Amino acid sequence: MSKIKTQVFVMAEQAGGRIRPVSLQIVGKARHLADQLDSKVGAILLGQNVTERAQELIAAGANSVYLGDSDSLHPYQAELYTEIIVNLLLEHRPEIFLLGSTFMGRELAPLIAAKLKTGLTAHCIDLLIDNEGILEQKIPAYGGMITIICPEKRPQMATVAEGVFLNPELDSTNIGDIIPIDLPEKFPLRVQTLEIVVEKPEGVSLETASVIVAGGAGAEDQDGWQQIAKLAEVLNAGFGSTRPAVDEGWTELETMIGQSGKMVSPELYIGVGLSGELQHMVGIVGAKVMIAINNDAKAPVFEQVDYGIVEDCRTFVPALVETLKKSND
Amino acid sequence: MLNIIVCVKAVPDPNDADKLKIDPVTKSLPRSDISLVINPLDSHALEAALEIKRNDDAHITILCMGPPPAGNIVKECLALGADKGILLSDPAFAGADAFATAYTLAKAIEKNGAVDLIFCGMASSDGATEWVGPEIATFLNMPVVTMVNEIVENAGDEWIVKADYEHGYRKVKIKLPAVLTVTRNLNQPKALSFSGILKARKKEIITWDLKDLGVPVENVGLKGSPTIVTEMTRLESRREVEILEGSLQEKVDRLIKILKNSGVVNV
Ligand SMILES: Cc1cc2nc3c(=O)[nH]c(=O)nc-3n(C[C@H](O)[C@H](O)[C@H](O)COP(=O)(O)OP(=O)(O)OC[C@H]3O[C@@H](n4cnc5c(N)ncnc54)[C@H](O)[C@@H]3O)c2cc1C
Ligand SMILES: Nc1ncnc2c1ncn2[C@@H]1O[C@H](COP(=O)(O)O)[C@@H](O)[C@H]1O
């Protein structure tokens, strides 16, 4: 096999018998980056009964899939996965290594980066190649966008949330190699995942909702939050949140929209009692119509929406819900 | 006795967030005095340690890397019930990314001596990488569980914990010494008490600088950071906003029209 100069590697993740969408999305992005670098895409796939899924990664743009299919790889074991991935990266020396911002990706990425003594950027919202072939990693910060690079250490590592990049076109005529990984035998685990329990998420799923109502710190308390929840309910909308709402315990982390939460693309977005901080707003990609309700006419959110309502949400939202209910009857 | 380290970061007070905006002209952060508070998740990390101490023989050390005013945050943790505080402060530590931060904290933990448990927050409110805990674990060759939301069993040196996972949780067995990063669902931090503040007066805070840690200057701070920030841009607004006018009910009615016109809402 001829050695190629550079490679872009991706951690592919599967759950419930399918490749996670975020993994396909980053394979698609890796394909673009690799084309610019004149290099190849390698995807790492670990699990039990996952061999059939490898072809999907090739269809999404991977040139090779490094495949570990074994009982010992289910459920996810941090130390074993780290060992396998670090060894692969040391062997193939890719320029870039991308992971999804899943719970697994967020734990594995720093374990791998620290072992390889390289840099790592969290929750990127864009990835570009600069003139010197270096990966520019964009994240929102301080009311703007910052660019982070890892100039010397390799691989350049980043995590990316689901929905940041588009689903790639799957081309089943793509040809690639599926390369089995030599798995370490009898690997001692100091930390062992005993089981992974999936409890069904409630309500309208945010990722697929065409209408999203999001609430923020302006709800002020649990009562105010419940009023916004009612609005979401009568509109049959997904109900999202900002970080302070999660911090206050009004809602679960799973509902948080933004850079370190969910990336959503509804037709209609209504932001209630939230300031329009970029870390939240970057999570609403490509919304068609955007509306904000905030009692401060100077709130930055009013520069980022189509319609603004300067009102106290605690009086406006109940009035809106009442009128909506009447017109529904 | 359990020797516990709690890593605590002093973060900008969210009420000062306006001061932390990129300057549109200089494209950099304006220097200003921003007051510091304890990273909210780290008060849950401290509470986890205090809960253990309420039932077992334990010694809690606070470890914080930051500028000298961060010492106040360490003091606050002592008043909340921690036994000892270490502040890592040196101009050379400034500008550290997660890697250099974790490296420096790990070196301090080694210097401090025996340790059974290290608690971190799942994320800091300003950096929010979530990397520091697992990277400390790697540098110290310890196992780690991230995003712990419940301690199920903590007898002996094999613990069972629950941690956040997609649409549910995972149950994990971990052998001590270990690093755990915690979520806010783990516990409810208690408020400062007057007697705690009095007791804290007698507790020691050690400050260590680069020399004390005995590590090469090129391994810490900006120099020891594999990643660098190369550019900051302010985002310009992309939408032309229409502010709805009129009485409350007029605004309600107008909004409902807009919702109808969107074609995705049945009203
Ligand atoms: C690295 C990093 C990652 C982050 N990731 C995310 C993320 O993924 N998602 C996220 O959401 N945040 C994230 N954050 C936090 C983010 O920076 C902001 O702090 C957060 O989005 C602000 O939420 P908010 O608008 O609800 O609160 P605030 O900024 O406090 O705004 C509250 C708003 O409500 C208005 N208000 C108050 N009372 C009322 C009332 N009665 N009626 C109407 N309006 C009222 C106020 O005028 C104000 O504009 C991140 C931060 C960092 C540093
Ligand atoms: N400068 C610091 N000093 C002490 N602990 C820190 C520091 N930075 C990060 N931490 C710890 O690492 C956790 C995660 O931080 P981060 O990786 O920045 O999201 C925090 O909750 C703290 O427990």
Side-chain angles (χ1 to χ4, degrees):
Chain A
M1 212 167 42
S2 70
K3 270 261 178 231
I4 355 156
K5 209 168 69 247
T6 60
Q7 288 197 83
V8 180
F9 264 47
V10 167
M11 177 68 198
E13 202 178 321
Q14 57 84 41
R18 48 182 274 253
I19 304 283
R20 283 198 197 275
V22 64
S23 299
L24 295 174
Q25 291 158 6
I26 53 177
V27 168
K29 186 66 190 182
R31 179 74 265 156
H32 283 291
L33 298 174
D35 288 344
Q36 290 174 58
L37 292 167
D38 203 8
S39 72
K40 304 220 163 176
V41 175
I44 303 172
L45 178 61
L46 305 176
Q48 180 188 33
N49 301 328
V50 291
T51 300
E52 275 177 30
R53 303 270 75 83
Q55 202 60 44
E56 219 171 307
L57 295 166
I58 292 170
N63 298 93
S64 333
V65 177
Y66 298 91
L67 176 72
D69 193 337
S70 153
D71 298 356
S72 65
L73 296 174
H74 182 82
Y76 149 65
Q77 302 294 358
E79 290 182 299
L80 179 57
Y81 277 42
T82 302
E83 171 82 8
I84 293 169
I85 296 166
V86 164
N87 286 340
L88 272 175
L89 297 175
L90 286 174
E91 182 185 343
H92 297 278
R93 305 254 161 212
E95 279 288 292
I96 296 171
F97 181 45
L98 307 177
L99 302 94
S101 294
T102 58
F103 284 88
M104 183 175 107
R106 286 149 70 186
E107 183 170 273
L108 280 178
L111 293 175
I112 295 164
K115 270 254 164 72
L116 297 175
K117 301 196 163 38
T118 189
L120 171 61
T121 306
H123 315 311
C124 294
I125 65 151
D126 205 3
L127 297 169
L128 308 163
I129 302 288
D130 77 4
N131 298 334
E132 273 126 62
I134 302 267
L135 185 69
E136 289 189 340
Q137 307 161 42
K138 307 271 184 189
I139 61 167
Y142 316 116
M145 202 60 82
I146 65 175
T147 305
I148 294 177
I149 61 169
C150 179
E152 283 157 21
K153 299 290 170 53
R154 293 292 176 271
Q156 306 162 84
M157 286 181 59
T159 61
V160 177
E162 179 174 341
V164 171
F165 298 123
L166 298 174
N167 291 320
E169 299 272 341
L170 298 184
D171 185 345
S172 56
T173 64
N174 282 356
I175 292 171
D177 301 322
I178 297 175
I179 303 156
I181 304 170
D182 291 329
L183 299 174
E185 275 171 42
K186 281 254 162 82
F187 189 81
L189 296 175
R190 296 174 300 179
V191 48
Q192 189 184 0
T193 303
L194 302 173
E195 60 172 340
I196 292 174
V197 178
V198 177
E199 302 163 311
K200 274 258 171 281
E202 282 176 32
V204 183
S205 144
L206 282 177
E207 284 92 337
T208 55
S210 54
V211 183
I212 286 180
V213 172
E220 287 176 22
D221 55 24
Q222 187 70 43
D223 276 355
W225 189 257
Q226 287 312 322
Q227 292 168 353
I228 307 174
K230 280 227 181 68
L231 175 62
E233 195 185 315
V234 293
L235 294 175
N236 194 22
F239 189 24
S241 67
T242 62
R243 184 141 95 187
V246 179
D247 288 353
E248 292 291 338
W250 300 333
T251 180
E252 294 296 314
L253 186 61
E254 303 248 11
T255 70
M256 186 172 84
I257 295 172
Q259 183 201 356
S260 34
K262 294 249 151 79
M263 296 280 173
V264 298
S265 38
E267 299 276 318
L268 174 67
Y269 165 89
I270 309 177
V272 185
L274 49 82
S275 59
E277 273 297 334
L278 215 54
Q279 278 109 0
H280 173 73
M281 300 309 282
V282 292
I284 307 125
V285 276
K288 270 215 198 89
V289 180
M290 295 180 74
I291 299 166
I293 302 166
N294 193 306
N295 63 359
D296 177 4
K298 294 204 203 71
V301 71
F302 289 131
E303 293 164 20
Q304 305 171 65
V305 295
D306 306 294
Y307 300 99
I309 293 146
V310 185
E311 285 287 349
D312 186 331
C313 64
R314 303 183 47 121
T315 47
F316 184 80
V317 170
L320 177 60
V321 169
E322 269 318 296
T323 314
L324 280 169
K325 274 193 180 151
K326 271 190 220 134
S327 65
N328 270 350
D329 292 340
Chain B
M1 189 183 64
L2 277 178
N3 280 305
I4 306 176
I5 298 240
V6 183
C7 294
V8 170
K9 187 176 186 184
V11 297
D13 187 332
N15 296 325
D16 277 358
D18 292 350
K19 295 192 196 159
L20 263 176
K21 289 272 154 71
I22 298 169
D23 186 294
V25 182
T26 64
K27 299 269 176 13
S28 64
L29 289 180
R31 276 187 179 274
S32 57
D33 290 327
I34 287 164
S35 49
L36 298 172
V37 297
I38 179 170
N39 177 43
L41 278 164
D42 298 350
S43 51
H44 294 267
L46 173 57
E47 179 60 25
L50 292 170
E51 240 162 52
I52 293 168
K53 198 180 156 160
R54 275 177 218 122
N55 302 310
D56 272 310
D57 193 15
H59 182 271
I60 303 173
T61 302
I62 301 296
L63 179 59
C64 174
M65 179 176 92
N72 292 330
I73 303 301
V74 179
K75 232 177 253 163
E76 193 181 315
C77 295
L78 295 182
L80 283 163
D83 300 294
K84 173 181 166 188
I86 303 173
L87 177 66
L88 302 178
S89 208
D90 193 306
F93 297 154
D97 69 0
F99 182 93
T101 301
Y103 171 84
T104 312
L105 293 172
K107 284 294 166 193
I109 293 168
E110 274 174 358
K111 181 181 163 81
N112 189 51
V115 59
D116 301 293
L117 257 178
I118 300 167
F119 282 110
C120 288
M122 164 193 126
S124 61
S125 65
D126 57 344
T129 66
E130 307 170 0
W131 304 152
V132 170
E135 295 207 337
I136 289 175
T138 305
F139 294 137
L140 296 175
N141 189 22
M142 285 184 192
V144 60
V145 182
T146 56
M147 301 184 218
V148 172
N149 59 37
E150 190 185 329
I151 292 172
V152 182
E153 267 177 44
N154 62 358
D157 67 351
E158 281 212 324
W159 285 23
I160 293 179
V161 299
K162 276 188 188 173
D164 288 357
Y165 211 75
E166 266 87 9
H167 307 306
Y169 64 89
R170 80 190 152 112
K171 208 166 174 185
V172 188
K173 188 161 85 180
I174 185 160
K175 200 161 164 21
L176 269 44
V179 178
L180 301 178
T181 83
V182 311
T183 72
R184 54 184 54 81
N185 292 328
L186 181 63
N187 54 39
Q188 198 55 54
K190 300 208 171 21
L192 270 179
S193 71
F194 186 63
S195 69
I197 297 171
L198 287 182
K199 276 189 210 144
R201 289 198 184 149
K202 289 200 252 22
K203 296 178 184 168
E204 69 174 325
I205 296 185
I206 309 172
T207 304
W208 284 340
D209 63 11
L210 182 71
K211 265 212 314 294
D212 294 317
L213 286 191
V215 296
V217 66
E218 56 281 0
N219 286 8
V220 299
L222 195 58
K223 283 188 189 148
S225 298
T227 60
I228 51 173
V229 174
T230 57
E231 200 189 357
M232 293 190 175
T233 47
R234 240 179 110 95
L235 233 64
E236 305 309 331
S237 67
R238 282 156 300 169
R239 293 188 190 234
E240 201 63 58
V241 69
E242 178 192 335
I243 301 288
L244 307 193
E245 302 290 347
S247 69
L248 188 103
Q249 193 56 45
E250 281 164 0
K251 289 180 194 171
V252 165
D253 295 337
R254 179 77 218 291
L255 179 56
I256 290 177
K257 280 217 183 81
I258 294 167
L259 296 179
K260 277 186 178 149
N261 288 341
S262 75
V264 284
V265 176
N266 279 329
V267 288

Coordinates of all heavy atoms in Angstrom, one line a residue, chain A residues 216-218 220 241-244 256-261 273-277 279-280 294-296 299 311-314, chain B residues 125-128, ligand 1:
Chain A
G216 N -35.2 31.5 28.2 CA -34.0 31.9 28.8 C -34.1 32.4 30.2 O -35.2 32.3 30.8
A217 N -33.1 33.0 30.7 CA -33.1 33.5 32.1 C -34.2 34.5 32.4 O -34.6 34.6 33.6 CB -31.7 34.2 32.4
G218 N -34.7 35.2 31.4 CA -35.8 36.1 31.6 C -37.1 35.5 32.1 O -38.0 36.2 32.5
E220 N -37.4 34.1 34.7 CA -37.2 34.5 36.1 C -37.4 33.4 37.2 O -36.7 33.3 38.1 CB -38.1 35.7 36.5 CG -37.5 37.0 35.8 CD -38.4 38.2 36.0 OE1 -39.2 38.2 37.0 OE2 -38.2 39.1 35.2
S241 N -33.8 25.7 25.3 CA -33.4 26.5 26.4 C -32.1 27.1 26.2 O -31.3 26.7 25.3 CB -33.4 25.7 27.7 OG -32.4 24.7 27.6
T242 N -31.7 28.1 27.1 CA -30.3 28.6 27.2 C -29.7 28.0 28.4 O -30.4 27.4 29.3 CB -30.3 30.1 27.3 OG1 -31.0 30.5 28.5 CG2 -31.0 30.8 26.1
R243 N -28.4 28.2 28.6 CA -27.7 27.6 29.7 C -28.2 28.1 31.0 O -28.4 27.2 31.9 CB -26.2 27.9 29.6 CG -25.4 27.2 30.6 CD -24.2 26.6 30.2 NE -23.1 27.6 30.4 CZ -21.9 27.4 30.0 NH1 -21.6 26.3 29.3 NH2 -21.0 28.3 30.3
P244 N -28.5 29.4 31.3 CA -29.0 29.7 32.6 C -30.2 29.0 33.0 O -30.4 28.6 34.2 CB -29.2 31.2 32.5 CG -28.4 31.7 31.4 CD -28.3 30.6 30.4
M256 N -30.9 22.2 25.9 CA -30.1 23.4 25.6 C -29.7 23.5 24.2 O -29.2 22.6 23.6 CB -28.9 23.4 26.5 CG -28.1 24.7 26.4 SD -26.8 24.9 27.6 CE -25.5 24.0 26.8
I257 N -29.9 24.7 23.6 CA -29.6 25.0 22.2 C -28.3 25.8 22.2 O -28.2 26.8 23.0 CB -30.7 25.7 21.5 CG1 -31.9 24.8 21.4 CG2 -30.3 26.2 20.1 CD1 -33.2 25.5 20.9
G258 N -27.4 25.5 21.3 CA -26.2 26.4 21.2 C -24.9 25.6 21.0 O -24.9 24.4 20.8
Q259 N -23.9 26.3 21.1 CA -22.5 25.8 20.8 C -22.2 24.5 21.6 O -21.8 23.6 21.0 CB -21.5 26.9 21.2 CG -20.1 26.4 20.9 CD -19.0 27.2 21.7 OE1 -19.4 28.1 22.5 NE2 -17.8 26.8 21.5
S260 N -22.5 24.5 22.9 CA -22.3 23.2 23.6 C -23.6 22.4 23.8 O -23.6 21.5 24.6 CB -21.5 23.5 24.9 OG -21.9 24.7 25.5
G261 N -24.6 22.8 23.1 CA -25.9 22.0 23.2 C -26.3 21.5 21.8 O -25.5 21.1 21.1
G273 N -37.2 35.8 26.5 CA -36.5 36.1 27.7 C -35.0 35.6 27.6 O -34.5 35.2 28.6
L274 N -34.5 35.7 26.5 CA -33.1 35.4 26.3 C -32.4 36.5 25.6 O -32.9 37.3 24.8 CB -32.9 34.1 25.6 CG -33.6 33.8 24.3 CD1 -32.9 34.3 23.1 CD2 -33.8 32.3 24.2
S275 N -31.1 36.7 25.9 CA -30.4 37.9 25.5 C -29.8 37.9 24.0 O -29.5 38.9 23.5 CB -29.2 38.2 26.4 OG -28.3 37.2 26.5
G276 N -29.7 36.7 23.5 CA -29.1 36.6 22.1 C -27.6 36.4 22.1 O -27.0 36.8 21.2
E277 N -27.1 35.9 23.2 CA -25.7 35.6 23.3 C -25.4 34.6 22.1 O -26.1 33.7 21.8 CB -25.3 34.8 24.6 CG -25.0 35.7 25.7 CD -23.7 36.5 25.5 OE1 -22.9 36.1 24.7 OE2 -23.7 37.6 26.2
Q279 N -23.3 32.2 21.8 CA -23.2 30.8 22.1 C -24.5 30.1 22.0 O -24.6 28.9 21.7 CB -22.6 30.6 23.5 CG -21.1 30.7 23.5 CD -20.6 31.9 24.2 OE1 -21.4 32.7 24.7 NE2 -19.3 32.1 24.2
H280 N -25.6 30.8 22.2 CA -26.9 30.2 22.0 C -27.3 30.4 20.6 O -27.8 29.4 19.9 CB -27.9 30.9 22.9 CG -29.4 30.5 22.7 ND1 -29.9 29.3 23.0 CD2 -30.4 31.2 22.0 CE1 -31.1 29.2 22.6 NE2 -31.5 30.3 22.0
N294 N -38.4 40.1 24.6 CA -37.5 40.5 25.6 C -37.9 41.9 26.1 O -38.4 42.7 25.3 CB -36.1 40.6 25.0 CG -35.0 40.7 26.1 OD1 -35.0 41.6 26.9 ND2 -34.1 39.8 26.0
N295 N -37.8 42.1 27.4 CA -38.3 43.4 28.0 C -37.2 44.5 27.8 O -37.5 45.6 28.2 CB -38.7 43.2 29.5 CG -37.6 42.8 30.3 OD1 -36.4 42.6 29.9 ND2 -37.8 42.7 31.6
D296 N -36.1 44.2 27.3 CA -35.0 45.2 27.2 C -34.9 45.5 25.7 O -34.4 44.7 24.9 CB -33.7 44.7 27.8 CG -32.6 45.6 27.6 OD1 -32.8 46.8 27.0 OD2 -31.4 45.3 28.0
A299 N -31.6 44.7 24.1 CA -31.0 43.3 24.1 C -30.4 42.9 22.7 O -31.1 43.2 21.7 CB -32.1 42.3 24.5
E311 N -41.5 43.4 25.5 CA -42.5 43.2 26.6 C -41.9 42.3 27.7 O -41.0 41.5 27.4 CB -43.8 42.5 26.0 CG -44.7 43.4 25.2 CD -45.5 44.5 26.0 OE1 -45.5 44.4 27.2 OE2 -46.0 45.4 25.3
D312 N -42.5 42.4 28.8 CA -42.2 41.4 29.9 C -42.8 40.1 29.5 O -44.0 40.0 29.3 CB -42.8 42.0 31.2 CG -42.4 41.1 32.4 OD1 -42.2 39.9 32.2 OD2 -42.4 41.6 33.5
C313 N -42.0 39.1 29.4 CA -42.6 37.8 28.9 C -43.6 37.3 29.9 O -44.5 36.5 29.5 CB -41.5 36.8 28.7 SG -40.5 36.3 30.1
R314 N -43.5 37.7 31.1 CA -44.4 37.1 32.1 C -45.9 37.7 32.0 O -46.8 37.1 32.6 CB -43.9 37.3 33.5 CG -42.5 36.7 33.6 CD -41.9 36.8 35.0 NE -42.9 36.4 36.0 CZ -42.7 35.4 36.9 NH1 -41.6 34.7 36.8 NH2 -43.6 35.2 37.7
Chain B
S125 N -17.4 27.7 33.2 CA -18.4 28.6 32.5 C -17.8 29.5 31.5 O -18.4 29.9 30.6 CB -19.2 29.4 33.6 OG -18.3 30.3 34.2
D126 N -16.5 29.7 31.6 CA -15.8 30.6 30.6 C -15.1 29.8 29.5 O -15.2 30.1 28.3 CB -14.9 31.6 31.2 CG -13.8 31.0 32.1 OD1 -14.0 29.8 32.4 OD2 -12.9 31.7 32.4
G127 N -14.4 28.7 29.9 CA -13.7 27.9 28.9 C -14.6 26.9 28.3 O -14.7 26.7 27.1
A128 N -15.3 26.2 29.2 CA -16.3 25.2 28.9 C -15.8 24.1 27.9 O -16.6 23.7 27.1 CB -17.6 25.9 28.3
Ligands
LIG1 C1 -17.8 28.2 25.9 C2 -19.3 28.5 26.2 C3 -20.3 27.7 25.6 C4 -21.6 28.1 25.8 N1 -22.6 27.3 25.2 C5 -23.8 27.7 25.4 C6 -24.9 26.9 24.7 O1 -24.6 26.0 24.0 N2 -26.2 27.4 24.8 C7 -26.5 28.5 25.6 O2 -27.7 28.8 25.7 N3 -25.5 29.1 26.3 C8 -24.2 28.8 26.2 N4 -23.3 29.5 26.8 C9 -23.7 30.6 27.7 C10 -24.0 31.9 26.9 O3 -22.8 32.6 26.8 C11 -25.0 32.8 27.6 O4 -24.6 33.0 29.0 C12 -26.4 32.3 27.6 O5 -26.8 31.9 26.3 C13 -27.3 33.4 28.1 O6 -28.6 32.9 28.3 P1 -29.9 33.9 28.5 O7 -30.0 34.7 27.3 O8 -31.0 33.0 28.9 O9 -29.6 34.7 29.8 P2 -29.1 36.3 29.9 O10 -28.0 36.6 29.0 O11 -29.1 36.5 31.3 O12 -30.4 37.0 29.3 C14 -31.6 37.1 29.8 C15 -32.4 38.1 29.0 O13 -33.8 38.1 29.4 C16 -34.3 39.4 29.4 N5 -35.3 39.4 30.5 C17 -35.2 39.5 31.8 N6 -36.4 39.5 32.4 C18 -37.3 39.4 31.4 C19 -38.7 39.4 31.4 N7 -39.4 39.4 32.6 N8 -39.4 39.4 30.2 C20 -38.6 39.3 29.1 N9 -37.3 39.3 29.0 C21 -36.6 39.4 30.2 C22 -33.1 40.3 29.7 O14 -33.3 41.6 29.1 C23 -32.0 39.5 29.0 O15 -31.8 40.0 27.7 C24 -21.9 29.2 26.6 C25 -20.9 29.9 27.2 C26 -19.6 29.6 27.0 C27 -18.5 30.4 27.6

